[in-house]
Amino acid sequence: MSDPTRFDLDDRQRAMLAEMGVRVWWPQSPVTTEAAPVAQPEPVAAVATSASAVQAPAAAGVSGDAAGAVARAAQPVAPALVSSAPVARPALATPVPAVPIKPLAEGVDRMDWAALQETAAACQACDLCAQRKKSVFGVGDPQAPWMVIGEAPGEEEDQAGEPFVGQSGQLLDNMLKAVGLSRKAQGEGGVYIANAIKCRPPGNHNPTPQELATCAPYLARQVALVQPKIILLMGRFAVQSVLQTTEPIGKLRGQVHSHQGVPVVVTYHPAYLLRNPADKAKAWADLVLALKTAQG
Protein backbone atom coordinates (compact mmCIF):
# COMPACT_ATOMS: atom_id res chain seq x y z
CA MET A 1 0.00 0.00 0.00
CA SER A 2 2.54 2.60 -1.09
CA ASP A 3 -0.20 5.05 -2.07
CA PRO A 4 -1.50 6.60 1.21
CA THR A 5 -4.87 7.39 -0.34
CA ARG A 6 -5.62 3.71 -1.03
CA PHE A 7 -6.55 0.77 1.15
CA ASP A 8 -6.72 -2.34 -1.05
CA LEU A 9 -9.02 -5.08 0.20
CA ASP A 10 -8.97 -8.83 -0.10
CA ASP A 11 -12.09 -11.01 -0.29
CA ARG A 12 -12.23 -11.48 3.49
CA GLN A 13 -12.13 -7.75 4.16
CA ARG A 14 -14.85 -7.12 1.55
CA ALA A 15 -17.04 -9.65 3.36
CA MET A 16 -16.40 -7.94 6.69
CA LEU A 17 -17.27 -4.54 5.21
CA ALA A 18 -20.51 -6.06 3.99
CA GLU A 19 -21.26 -7.08 7.59
CA MET A 20 -20.59 -3.48 8.68
CA GLY A 21 -22.91 -2.21 5.96
CA VAL A 22 -20.19 -0.50 3.91
CA ARG A 23 -20.26 -1.28 0.20
CA VAL A 24 -17.06 -1.73 -1.81
CA TRP A 25 -17.25 -0.74 -5.44
CA TRP A 26 -15.02 -0.33 -8.51
CA PRO A 27 -14.20 3.04 -10.12
CA GLN A 28 -14.90 3.62 -13.78
CA SER A 29 -13.79 6.36 -16.14
CA PRO A 30 -16.22 9.15 -17.05
CA VAL A 31 -18.31 8.58 -20.16
CA THR A 32 -16.93 10.48 -23.17
CA THR A 33 -17.79 10.73 -26.84
CA GLU A 34 -14.51 9.05 -27.86
CA ALA A 35 -14.83 5.55 -29.25
CA ALA A 36 -11.51 4.34 -27.77
CA PRO A 37 -11.97 1.88 -24.87
CA VAL A 38 -10.82 2.92 -21.43
CA ALA A 39 -9.11 0.40 -19.09
CA GLN A 40 -10.68 -0.17 -15.69
CA PRO A 41 -8.36 0.54 -12.70
CA GLU A 42 -7.99 -1.88 -9.79
CA PRO A 43 -10.81 -2.01 -7.17
CA VAL A 44 -10.55 0.26 -4.15
CA ALA A 45 -12.60 0.71 -1.01
CA ALA A 46 -14.47 4.01 -1.20
CA VAL A 47 -14.62 5.80 2.12
CA ALA A 48 -17.19 8.54 2.36
CA THR A 49 -16.03 11.69 4.16
CA SER A 50 -19.34 13.49 3.91
CA ALA A 51 -22.97 12.62 3.35
CA SER A 52 -22.71 13.57 -0.33
CA ALA A 53 -19.84 11.15 -0.87
CA VAL A 54 -21.83 8.07 0.12
CA GLN A 55 -23.63 6.94 -3.03
CA ALA A 56 -25.00 3.56 -2.02
CA PRO A 57 -25.02 2.50 1.64
CA ALA A 58 -25.41 -1.24 2.00
CA ALA A 59 -28.71 -2.62 3.25
CA ALA A 60 -28.97 -5.15 6.06
CA GLY A 61 -28.59 -8.74 4.95
CA VAL A 62 -26.37 -8.09 1.93
CA SER A 63 -24.56 -11.31 0.97
CA GLY A 64 -20.79 -11.60 0.58
CA ASP A 65 -21.21 -12.01 -3.21
CA ALA A 66 -23.31 -8.88 -3.45
CA ALA A 67 -20.82 -6.91 -1.39
CA GLY A 68 -18.19 -7.50 -4.07
CA ALA A 69 -20.45 -6.48 -6.97
CA VAL A 70 -19.42 -3.69 -9.30
CA ALA A 71 -20.91 -0.27 -8.43
CA ARG A 72 -20.18 3.24 -9.49
CA ALA A 73 -18.07 6.36 -8.82
CA ALA A 74 -15.48 5.60 -6.10
CA GLN A 75 -14.09 8.52 -4.15
CA PRO A 76 -10.48 8.49 -2.85
CA VAL A 77 -9.85 8.58 0.88
CA ALA A 78 -9.28 12.16 1.99
CA PRO A 79 -5.61 12.65 2.87
CA ALA A 80 -6.51 14.11 6.27
CA LEU A 81 -8.08 10.78 7.23
CA VAL A 82 -5.08 8.63 6.38
CA SER A 83 -2.13 10.51 7.78
CA SER A 84 0.50 7.86 8.44
CA ALA A 85 2.13 9.79 11.28
CA PRO A 86 0.48 10.90 14.52
CA VAL A 87 -0.32 14.61 14.47
CA ALA A 88 0.06 16.66 17.63
CA ARG A 89 -3.10 18.62 18.40
CA PRO A 90 -3.57 21.73 20.51
CA ALA A 91 -5.46 21.59 23.79
CA LEU A 92 -9.16 20.97 23.21
CA ALA A 93 -11.50 23.90 23.69
CA THR A 94 -14.16 22.33 25.90
CA PRO A 95 -12.53 20.54 28.87
CA VAL A 96 -14.51 18.32 31.21
CA PRO A 97 -15.08 20.21 34.50
CA ALA A 98 -13.24 18.86 37.54
CA VAL A 99 -15.41 16.90 39.97
CA PRO A 100 -14.68 15.53 43.45
CA ILE A 101 -14.11 11.77 43.58
CA LYS A 102 -14.01 9.23 46.36
CA PRO A 103 -10.61 7.68 47.09
CA LEU A 104 -9.72 4.35 45.48
CA ALA A 105 -7.54 1.65 46.95
CA GLU A 106 -4.00 2.87 47.48
CA GLY A 107 -1.46 2.27 44.73
CA VAL A 108 -3.76 1.72 41.72
CA ASP A 109 -1.15 3.39 39.51
CA ARG A 110 1.42 0.74 40.52
CA MET A 111 -0.70 -2.43 40.43
CA ASP A 112 -0.07 -5.39 38.13
CA TRP A 113 -2.89 -6.95 36.09
CA ALA A 114 -4.08 -9.38 38.75
CA ALA A 115 -4.18 -6.82 41.55
CA LEU A 116 -5.82 -4.22 39.33
CA GLN A 117 -8.61 -6.55 38.21
CA GLU A 118 -9.23 -7.79 41.74
CA THR A 119 -9.37 -4.23 43.07
CA ALA A 120 -11.78 -3.10 40.34
CA ALA A 121 -14.05 -6.07 41.01
CA ALA A 122 -14.32 -5.15 44.70
CA CYS A 123 -14.43 -1.37 44.17
CA GLN A 124 -17.03 0.60 46.16
CA ALA A 125 -15.80 4.09 45.36
CA CYS A 126 -19.08 5.13 43.71
CA ASP A 127 -22.75 4.15 43.86
CA LEU A 128 -22.57 1.95 40.74
CA CYS A 129 -21.25 -0.93 42.83
CA ALA A 130 -24.60 -1.31 44.60
CA GLN A 131 -26.47 -2.88 41.67
CA ARG A 132 -23.72 -4.44 39.55
CA LYS A 133 -23.76 -8.18 38.91
CA LYS A 134 -20.17 -8.27 37.65
CA SER A 135 -17.55 -5.62 37.13
CA VAL A 136 -16.53 -5.40 33.47
CA PHE A 137 -12.76 -5.10 33.46
CA GLY A 138 -11.50 -5.95 29.97
CA VAL A 139 -10.82 -8.71 27.45
CA GLY A 140 -8.17 -9.58 24.88
CA ASP A 141 -4.39 -9.63 24.67
CA PRO A 142 -2.97 -7.46 27.50
CA GLN A 143 0.07 -6.74 25.32
CA ALA A 144 -1.82 -6.05 22.09
CA PRO A 145 -0.78 -3.27 19.71
CA TRP A 146 -4.40 -2.01 19.62
CA MET A 147 -6.55 -0.90 22.53
CA VAL A 148 -10.28 -0.24 22.08
CA ILE A 149 -12.05 1.77 24.77
CA GLY A 150 -15.83 1.91 24.99
CA GLU A 151 -18.21 3.74 27.31
CA ALA A 152 -20.01 1.76 30.05
CA PRO A 153 -21.35 -1.79 30.37
CA GLY A 154 -24.93 -2.53 29.37
CA GLU A 155 -27.20 -5.23 30.73
CA GLU A 156 -25.58 -8.03 28.72
CA GLU A 157 -22.07 -6.92 29.65
CA ASP A 158 -23.09 -6.72 33.32
CA GLN A 159 -24.20 -10.35 33.20
CA ALA A 160 -21.24 -11.64 31.18
CA GLY A 161 -18.51 -9.56 32.84
CA GLU A 162 -17.05 -8.78 29.39
CA PRO A 163 -17.16 -5.56 27.34
CA PHE A 164 -18.94 -5.37 23.99
CA VAL A 165 -21.22 -8.40 23.85
CA GLY A 166 -24.57 -8.81 22.09
CA GLN A 167 -25.26 -7.02 18.79
CA SER A 168 -22.81 -4.21 19.53
CA GLY A 169 -20.10 -6.77 20.22
CA GLN A 170 -20.83 -8.62 16.98
CA LEU A 171 -20.52 -5.40 14.99
CA LEU A 172 -17.28 -4.50 16.75
CA ASP A 173 -15.87 -7.96 16.04
CA ASN A 174 -16.72 -7.57 12.33
CA MET A 175 -15.12 -4.12 12.25
CA LEU A 176 -11.95 -5.51 13.82
CA LYS A 177 -11.89 -8.49 11.44
CA ALA A 178 -11.99 -6.08 8.51
CA VAL A 179 -8.56 -4.77 9.55
CA GLY A 180 -7.15 -8.15 10.59
CA LEU A 181 -7.80 -8.00 14.35
CA SER A 182 -9.62 -10.20 16.85
CA ARG A 183 -10.28 -10.06 20.59
CA LYS A 184 -9.22 -13.73 20.73
CA ALA A 185 -5.92 -13.25 18.90
CA GLN A 186 -2.50 -12.72 20.45
CA GLY A 187 0.36 -10.59 19.18
CA GLU A 188 0.08 -8.41 16.07
CA GLY A 189 -3.51 -9.48 15.33
CA GLY A 190 -4.64 -8.96 18.91
CA VAL A 191 -6.58 -6.18 20.57
CA TYR A 192 -7.33 -5.31 24.19
CA ILE A 193 -10.88 -4.06 24.84
CA ALA A 194 -11.98 -2.12 27.92
CA ASN A 195 -14.60 0.40 29.03
CA ALA A 196 -14.25 3.81 30.62
CA ILE A 197 -16.71 2.65 33.33
CA LYS A 198 -16.30 -0.76 34.96
CA CYS A 199 -19.84 -1.13 36.39
CA ARG A 200 -23.20 -0.82 34.66
CA PRO A 201 -25.10 2.42 35.34
CA PRO A 202 -28.63 1.44 36.49
CA GLY A 203 -31.12 1.68 33.66
CA ASN A 204 -28.19 2.31 31.29
CA HIS A 205 -28.18 5.98 32.25
CA ASN A 206 -25.42 8.14 30.81
CA PRO A 207 -22.30 8.03 32.99
CA THR A 208 -21.95 11.11 35.17
CA PRO A 209 -18.72 13.15 35.28
CA GLN A 210 -18.12 11.84 38.81
CA GLU A 211 -18.54 8.20 37.72
CA LEU A 212 -16.12 8.74 34.83
CA ALA A 213 -13.60 10.44 37.10
CA THR A 214 -13.85 7.71 39.74
CA CYS A 215 -13.09 4.94 37.23
CA ALA A 216 -10.42 6.92 35.34
CA PRO A 217 -7.43 5.64 37.39
CA TYR A 218 -8.31 2.03 36.54
CA LEU A 219 -8.42 2.85 32.84
CA ALA A 220 -5.22 4.89 33.01
CA ARG A 221 -3.42 1.94 34.60
CA GLN A 222 -4.79 -0.43 31.94
CA VAL A 223 -3.39 1.83 29.21
CA ALA A 224 -0.03 1.98 31.00
CA LEU A 225 0.11 -1.83 31.28
CA VAL A 226 -0.96 -2.54 27.68
CA GLN A 227 1.31 0.13 26.14
CA PRO A 228 -0.58 0.00 22.83
CA LYS A 229 0.53 1.49 19.53
CA ILE A 230 -2.93 2.95 18.93
CA ILE A 231 -6.05 3.64 21.02
CA LEU A 232 -9.49 3.63 19.38
CA LEU A 233 -12.11 5.52 21.41
CA MET A 234 -15.68 4.44 20.70
CA GLY A 235 -18.40 6.80 21.90
CA ARG A 236 -18.57 10.23 23.53
CA PHE A 237 -18.14 9.06 27.12
CA ALA A 238 -14.95 7.22 26.22
CA VAL A 239 -13.80 10.50 24.66
CA GLN A 240 -14.74 12.47 27.78
CA SER A 241 -12.84 10.08 30.03
CA VAL A 242 -9.64 9.81 27.97
CA LEU A 243 -9.35 13.14 26.14
CA GLN A 244 -11.08 15.20 28.84
CA THR A 245 -13.31 17.10 26.44
CA THR A 246 -17.02 17.39 25.74
CA GLU A 247 -16.52 18.26 22.08
CA PRO A 248 -18.81 16.13 19.84
CA ILE A 249 -17.35 13.14 18.03
CA GLY A 250 -18.06 14.74 14.66
CA LYS A 251 -15.52 17.47 15.45
CA LEU A 252 -12.89 15.09 16.84
CA ARG A 253 -12.82 12.28 14.30
CA GLY A 254 -10.52 12.44 11.28
CA GLN A 255 -7.63 13.56 13.53
CA VAL A 256 -4.92 11.84 15.53
CA HIS A 257 -5.00 12.85 19.21
CA SER A 258 -2.72 11.69 22.03
CA HIS A 259 -3.07 10.10 25.49
CA GLN A 260 -0.12 9.06 27.65
CA GLY A 261 2.02 9.50 24.54
CA VAL A 262 -0.13 7.02 22.57
CA PRO A 263 -1.89 8.06 19.31
CA VAL A 264 -5.68 8.17 19.70
CA VAL A 265 -8.40 7.95 17.03
CA VAL A 266 -12.04 8.76 17.79
CA THR A 267 -15.03 6.99 16.26
CA TYR A 268 -18.67 6.14 16.88
CA HIS A 269 -19.83 3.47 19.33
CA PRO A 270 -21.19 0.28 17.67
CA ALA A 271 -24.55 0.79 19.41
CA TYR A 272 -24.81 4.18 17.70
CA LEU A 273 -23.89 2.62 14.35
CA LEU A 274 -26.66 0.04 14.74
CA ARG A 275 -29.12 2.92 15.11
CA ASN A 276 -27.47 5.04 12.39
CA PRO A 277 -26.14 2.64 9.73
CA ALA A 278 -25.40 5.48 7.29
CA ASP A 279 -22.45 6.46 9.52
CA LYS A 280 -20.76 3.05 9.15
CA ALA A 281 -18.77 4.45 6.23
CA LYS A 282 -17.37 7.13 8.55
CA ALA A 283 -16.47 4.46 11.10
CA TRP A 284 -14.61 2.57 8.36
CA ALA A 285 -12.66 5.73 7.55
CA ASP A 286 -11.73 5.99 11.23
CA LEU A 287 -10.52 2.37 11.24
CA VAL A 288 -8.35 3.08 8.18
CA LEU A 289 -6.86 6.11 9.92
CA ALA A 290 -6.15 4.06 13.05
CA LEU A 291 -4.61 1.24 11.00
CA LYS A 292 -2.28 3.53 9.08
CA THR A 293 -1.31 5.37 12.26
CA ALA A 294 -0.50 2.08 14.03
CA GLN A 295 1.59 0.95 11.06
CA GLY A 296 3.57 4.18 11.21
Side-chain angles (χ1 to χ4, degrees), residues 149 219-220 223 231 233 241-243 257-264:
I149 300 175
L219 181 62
V223 173
I231 295 173
L233 298 181
S241 177
V242 174
L243 297 183
H257 307 274
S258 180
H259 176 68
Q260 294 188 15
V262 180
V264 174

Side-chain angles (χ1 to χ4, degrees), residues 90-116:
L92 297 167
T94 314
V96 174
V99 294
I101 61 173
K102 297 180 182 179
L104 300 180
E106 185 178 353
V108 166
D109 60 341
R110 301 186 299 275
M111 290 181 179
D112 60 16
W113 278 112
L116 187 66

Side-chain angles (χ1 to χ4, degrees), residues 179-196:
V179 290
L181 302 172
S182 169
R183 70 172 75 195
K184 296 180 180 179
Q186 301 290 310
E188 285 302 311
V191 58
Y192 187 79
I193 304 172
N195 278 328

Side-chain angles (χ1 to χ4, degrees), residues 18-190:
E19 293 293 333
M20 287 177 59
V22 179
R23 175 170 293 180
V24 179
W25 63 87
W26 296 48
Q28 65 180 21
S29 299
V31 177
T32 66
T33 56
E34 297 293 332
V38 179
Q40 292 281 358
E42 294 182 359
V44 298
V47 178
T49 59
S50 68
S52 62
V54 181
Q55 300 295 328
V62 175
S63 68
D65 292 338
V70 175
R72 298 174 294 280
Q75 296 289 336
V77 177
L81 287 175
V82 295
S83 172
S84 59
V87 179
R89 298 290 167 183
L92 297 167
T94 314
V96 174
V99 294
I101 61 173
K102 297 180 182 179
L104 300 180
E106 185 178 353
V108 166
D109 60 341
R110 301 186 299 275
M111 290 181 179
D112 60 16
W113 278 112
L116 187 66
Q117 185 166 2
E118 182 179 348
T119 302
C123 182
Q124 297 184 352
C126 76
D127 295 337
L128 294 183
C129 65
Q131 299 186 44
R132 72 180 175 220
K133 291 182 173 64
K134 294 181 180 179
S135 65
V136 180
F137 186 71
V139 67
D141 181 2
Q143 295 182 318
W146 281 60
M147 186 169 182
V148 173
I149 300 175
E151 298 182 315
E155 182 178 6
E156 292 177 290
E157 288 83 2
D158 185 40
Q159 294 174 351
E162 182 175 325
F164 288 99
V165 299
Q167 289 185 319
S168 293
Q170 291 173 10
L171 178 55
L172 174 61
D173 288 343
N174 286 334
M175 294 169 69
L176 294 174
K177 286 179 185 178
V179 290
L181 302 172
S182 169
R183 70 172 75 195
K184 296 180 180 179
Q186 301 290 310
E188 285 302 311

Side-chain angles (χ1 to χ4, degrees), residues 222-253:
Q222 286 177 300
V223 173
L225 289 170
V226 175
Q227 298 183 341
K229 294 180 180 178
I230 186 74
I231 295 173
L232 183 67
L233 298 181
M234 308 193 84
R236 64 189 177 104
F237 295 109
V239 169
Q240 287 182 22
S241 177
V242 174
L243 297 183
Q244 292 293 293
T245 178
T246 57
E247 286 288 322
I249 288 178
K251 290 186 177 181
L252 298 174
R253 53 176 302 275

